[in-house]
Amino acid sequence: MLHELATASSESWISFNWDSLFSNFLPATRDGITYGGIYALVAVGYTLVYGVLNLINFAHSEVFISGAYAVVFTLTGLGFDGNSPNLGTIPLIGDLLVALLAGAVTSAVVAVLVERIAYRPLRARGAPRLAFLITAIGVSFAIQYLIFLWRGSVAEPSVRMVPVKAIFQIGDTLIFLNQIIIVVAALAMMIAVDQFVRRTRTGRGIRAVAQDPDTATLMGVSTERIIVLTFAIGGLLAGAAGLFYIMQVPSGAIYNGGFVLGIKAFAAAVLGGIGNIRGALLGGFLLGLIGNYGQYLLGDAQWNDVVCFVVLLLVLMVRPEGILGSSLAKVRA
Amino acid sequence: MALLELDDVSVHYGRIQAIHDMSIHVEEGEIVSLIGANGAGKTTTMRAVAGLLGLSGGSITFDGDDISRTKAHLRVVRGISLTPEGRGIFPSMTVLENLDMGAYARKDKSSMSADFDRVFDLFPRLKERQKQSGGTMSGGEQQMLAIGRALMAHPKLLLLDEPSMGLAPQFIRQIFRIIKEVNQQGTTVLLVEQNANQALKLANRAYILETGRITREGSGAELAADDAVKAAYLGG
C-alpha cells in the first residue's frame, strides 16, 4: 500500500490509456461477464430481502463468503489442491454438484440463522428501521471476525477443481472451461429464481408480502415463513456464487473476502433496481463489464472499484430507482 | 350459538385504548353493521377480529373455538376474510393474480374455476379486466376486486371495512346490492360503514360505536327509525 502510494505520487496518477482498453477489450469482456454472473447471484439475495423487508442485509456478504469456505473445505476434503486436476467429464460434474450443494446449503443455513438470531427479535419488538441497519452491519463484522479468529488473517490455500483448459478462442482471447460453467450456471439459476417468483404460488406469496404485508396476511400468507424462505433462497444463490468465486479465484477464501464483493453485488442490485430480480441480473453483468473495462482504461486493478461506483452514482442521478426500477417491491398505489 | 362472538374485548395502541370492553355477536347468516364516526374504533375492531391486532383483554370466539391468540393467516383458513379499509389491492399484480391470492390458503383447488365463474358473475367488469394490473383500476373496480378476492377464500364470515368509501353513487348501490347477494348465497357479513343510511337498510342488526364503546344495538330498521341515531348519523 505504502509502496503504491509512493509510486502513485511520483508521476501522473490518472491517465486514460485507450490503446490498452482496445487491445484488451475481449479479455476484459470475458472476465467482466464471468464476474458479472457472480455479482448477479449475490445481488439477488440483497434484492429479495430488500423487497420483502425493506432491509439492506449487510451480512449477506458474509453469507456469501461462508459458502466459499464450505466449497474450499469440501474440495480439499475430496483431495483437490492448487494444481489443475485431470478429471473426466462425469467425475467433474459429480464433484461440481457436491461442491455446489456444500456451498449453497452452508450459505442458506447461515442466512436463515442470521435472520433468526439478529433480525427476528427486532421485528417482534417493532424496532425502527435504523436498528435493523446497524444490526446488519454488526452481524457482518461479527461473522468476518469469527472467521478471522478461526482461520487467521490469511487466505485458505488454493483449490482448483475445474481443469484449467481453454474450450475455444475468440481472436487471441482464450475462453476457459471454468468461465463457461460460471456464466451458464449463473444465468440458469437467475432464470430459475425469476420464474419461481413470477409463476409459482409461493412466488406470488413473496410478491404479495413485498407489496403489502398486512394484506398478504389477510390472504392466508404466513409472512414469517415467506421471510425465512427469502433469506434461504438468497443464501442458496450466494452459496452457488461462493463456488463460482472459488472457481475464478482459487485462493479467494479469506475472512474479509466477502466484503468488497458483497458491496459490489449490492451496488449491482441498486444499479439494476433494487427489489427487482431482473435488475440484479442486469446490474451484475453491467458492473462486471464496467469494472473490467475501467481497469484496462485506467491501467490498474484498483480502478475497477472506482469506476464501478462512479458509474453507479451517475446512473442514480438520472434514474434514482435504478435502470429497471423496483418492481418486486413498492409500486404502491 | 353465534358464529362470531367478541366478549369484553379491549385493544390498545401502545398506551392508548382504542376499544373498551366490547361485546358483540354475529349469528350465522346475518348481516351485521357497525356504525360510527371517524376514529370510533371501527377499523380497529375489524383488524382485531382478523388478527392483525392483538387483544389487551377479552376474547374472540369463532365457530365455537377461541381464536383470540390464533395468528391472522390461520384465521383465514378457519373462514374469516377481511376486505380491508383502502381495499389492499396488490398494485403490480393483475386482476387474475389478485383473485388467485384470495385462494392462497385454500387446500382444495378443485373448485377454483367455479369460483372464478362465481366472482365474474357477480362482477362482470372484473372478467373484462382480467389482465389489467390492480393498481391501474378505478376505486370502484378495486372494491369489486377486493370483495371478489375475499370470496375466493370461501369465507364463512366476510368482514367488510368501509366498502363504499370514496366511491361514486352508482358504485355504492352496486356494492350494497352485491353484499346482499353474497349474503343470500350463504356468507355471513360483518360490515363497517360511515354510510349509515345504506348500512342500516341492509343489516339485520347493527351496533353503534362511539369512541371505542358500543352505545346502542338493535335491528337495522329500529336504529334507522331512532331519533338520536338519525340526528347523529343519518343527517337528521
Side-chain angles (χ1 to χ4, degrees):
Chain A
M1 217 39 195
L2 269 177
H3 167 72
E4 282 166 22
L5 283 176
T7 52
S9 59
S10 62
E11 47 194 282
S12 167
W13 63 279
I14 178 166
S15 62
F16 294 93
N17 187 344
W18 293 97
D19 285 344
S20 156
L21 174 60
F22 291 134
S23 57
N24 290 296
F25 187 75
L26 286 174
T29 306
R30 174 197 66 191
D31 294 346
I33 291 175
T34 309
Y35 274 102
I38 297 170
Y39 295 153
L41 285 175
V42 178
V44 173
Y46 286 103
T47 249
L48 279 177
V49 167
Y50 183 83
V52 167
L53 283 182
N54 280 342
L55 163 71
I56 298 163
N57 178 20
F58 277 109
H60 193 59
S61 49
E62 279 59 52
V63 167
F64 155 75
I65 206 68
S66 308
Y69 270 94
V71 167
V72 169
F73 295 152
T74 306
L75 292 179
T76 311
L78 288 170
F80 291 94
D81 53 27
N83 303 313
S84 172
N86 202 353
L87 269 186
T89 309
I90 302 293
L92 172 63
I93 292 174
D95 290 335
L96 268 175
L97 288 179
V98 171
L100 176 64
L101 193 71
V105 170
T106 302
S107 287
V109 168
V110 172
V112 170
L113 282 178
V114 168
E115 197 281 315
R116 273 282 154 96
I117 296 169
Y119 303 141
R120 184 173 296 190
L122 294 179
R123 249 194 342 272
R125 283 163 185 74
R129 194 82 65 80
L130 206 55
F132 283 91
L133 194 65
I134 198 69
T135 300
I137 294 171
V139 171
S140 169
F141 278 111
I143 298 177
Q144 271 185 55
Y145 286 95
L146 278 175
I147 298 176
F148 178 94
L149 288 168
W150 180 34
R151 307 300 299 175
S153 63
V154 292
E156 300 296 316
S158 294
V159 275
R160 286 180 202 278
M161 163 188 45
V162 180
V164 179
K165 89 179 164 196
I167 299 300
F168 60 92
Q169 85 185 74
I170 304 170
D172 293 338
T173 305
L174 299 173
I175 312 292
F176 291 93
L177 176 58
N178 64 331
Q179 298 176 318
I180 294 173
I181 295 175
I182 291 170
V183 173
V184 171
L187 270 176
M189 289 174 187
M190 296 291 293
I191 291 170
V193 73
D194 182 62
Q195 291 300 305
F196 174 77
V197 170
R198 270 165 205 271
R199 301 210 188 281
T200 65
R201 169 177 176 273
T202 310
R204 253 202 308 281
I206 293 176
R207 282 185 291 145
V209 173
Q211 289 177 36
D212 185 342
D214 269 0
T215 307
T217 306
L218 294 176
M219 304 293 112
V221 181
S222 163
T223 44
E224 287 298 314
R225 264 188 54 198
I226 292 289
I227 289 167
V228 171
L229 187 72
T230 348
F231 275 87
I233 294 173
L236 287 175
L237 295 184
L243 167 65
F244 301 147
Y245 184 61
I246 293 301
M247 282 165 61
Q248 178 70 11
V249 186
S251 61
I254 183 166
Y255 74 100
N256 60 359
F259 190 71
V260 170
L261 194 137
I263 297 274
K264 269 252 189 77
F266 173 56
V270 174
L271 180 68
I274 192 149
N276 182 329
I277 292 172
R278 292 178 183 184
L281 180 73
L282 180 68
F285 282 112
L286 274 180
L287 269 200
L289 286 170
I290 290 165
N292 273 279
Y293 292 148
Q295 179 177 332
Y296 283 106
L297 177 63
L298 290 150
D300 200 344
Q302 265 69 30
W303 284 104
N304 188 316
D305 296 342
V306 177
V307 172
C308 280
F309 287 103
V310 168
V311 168
L312 176 71
L313 292 178
L314 293 176
V315 170
L316 291 183
M317 280 181 204
V318 187
R319 290 189 65 90
E321 294 257 291
I323 297 171
L324 296 184
S326 44
S327 82
L328 178 75
K330 55 216 82 333
V331 201
R332 292 217 173 99
Chain B
M1 185 182 44
L3 179 63
L4 176 75
E5 187 151 15
L6 277 66
D7 191 21
D8 275 338
V9 163
S10 295
V11 180
H12 282 74
Y13 290 107
R15 297 198 166 171
I16 299 163
Q17 185 160 9
I19 301 290
H20 300 262
D21 307 321
M22 179 192 282
S23 294
I24 63 173
H25 62 99
V26 180
E27 303 295 323
E28 201 156 347
E30 274 189 316
I31 299 181
V32 173
S33 291
L34 209 52
I35 310 289
N38 252 340
K42 306 188 298 289
T43 294
T44 304
T45 308
M46 293 301 237
R47 290 172 72 84
V49 173
L52 293 176
L53 289 172
L55 307 185
S56 43
S59 66
I60 301 179
T61 312
F62 180 72
D63 217 2
D65 298 316
D66 184 342
I67 58 161
S68 309
R69 301 197 166 278
T70 305
K71 293 210 168 89
H73 71 273
L74 297 175
R75 296 193 196 186
V76 182
V77 180
R78 284 176 174 267
I80 300 178
S81 275
L82 167 62
T83 303
E85 187 181 13
R87 302 161 198 125
I89 296 303
F90 298 111
S92 55
M93 289 190 193
T94 64
V95 168
L96 221 47
E97 282 182 311
N98 266 286
L99 290 175
D100 249 341
M101 279 309 301
Y104 190 91
R106 269 176 49 195
K107 298 281 183 287
D108 69 300
K109 302 278 176 180
S110 52
S111 59
M112 283 278 280
S113 70
D115 292 329
F116 276 114
D117 288 345
R118 178 188 175 205
V119 169
F120 289 147
D121 263 1
L122 287 170
F123 305 106
R125 182 80 68 113
L126 295 183
K127 189 171 188 172
E128 297 160 23
R129 307 256 156 136
Q130 288 179 52
K131 304 268 183 238
Q132 192 176 331
S133 67
T136 63
M137 304 212 303
S138 76
E141 290 165 346
Q142 287 193 359
Q143 190 59 56
M144 294 176 185
L145 179 53
I147 296 177
R149 186 179 61 182
L151 292 177
M152 292 296 290
H154 281 192
K156 290 179 190 152
L157 174 66
L158 180 61
L159 307 172
L160 296 168
D161 194 350
E162 302 266 12
S164 76
M165 188 162 64
L167 301 189
Q170 80 268 20
F171 273 127
I172 296 182
R173 277 194 296 278
Q174 192 183 356
I175 293 284
F176 276 101
R177 182 172 54 70
I178 281 162
I179 294 169
K180 191 163 191 179
E181 196 172 331
V182 167
N183 176 252
Q184 282 163 352
Q185 290 172 6
T187 309
T188 306
V189 176
L190 176 58
L191 173 72
V192 151
E193 262 300 336
Q194 285 196 55
N195 189 335
N197 216 340
Q198 294 269 13
L200 288 178
K201 228 184 269 173
L202 186 68
N204 303 101
R205 288 187 306 111
Y207 295 91
I208 309 276
L209 188 58
E210 281 172 33
T211 56
R213 290 185 174 82
I214 297 289
T215 54
R216 297 288 306 273
E217 125 170 55
S219 75
E222 221 169 275
L223 290 178
D226 185 283
D227 286 340
V229 174
K230 269 190 199 163
Y233 301 104
L234 304 175

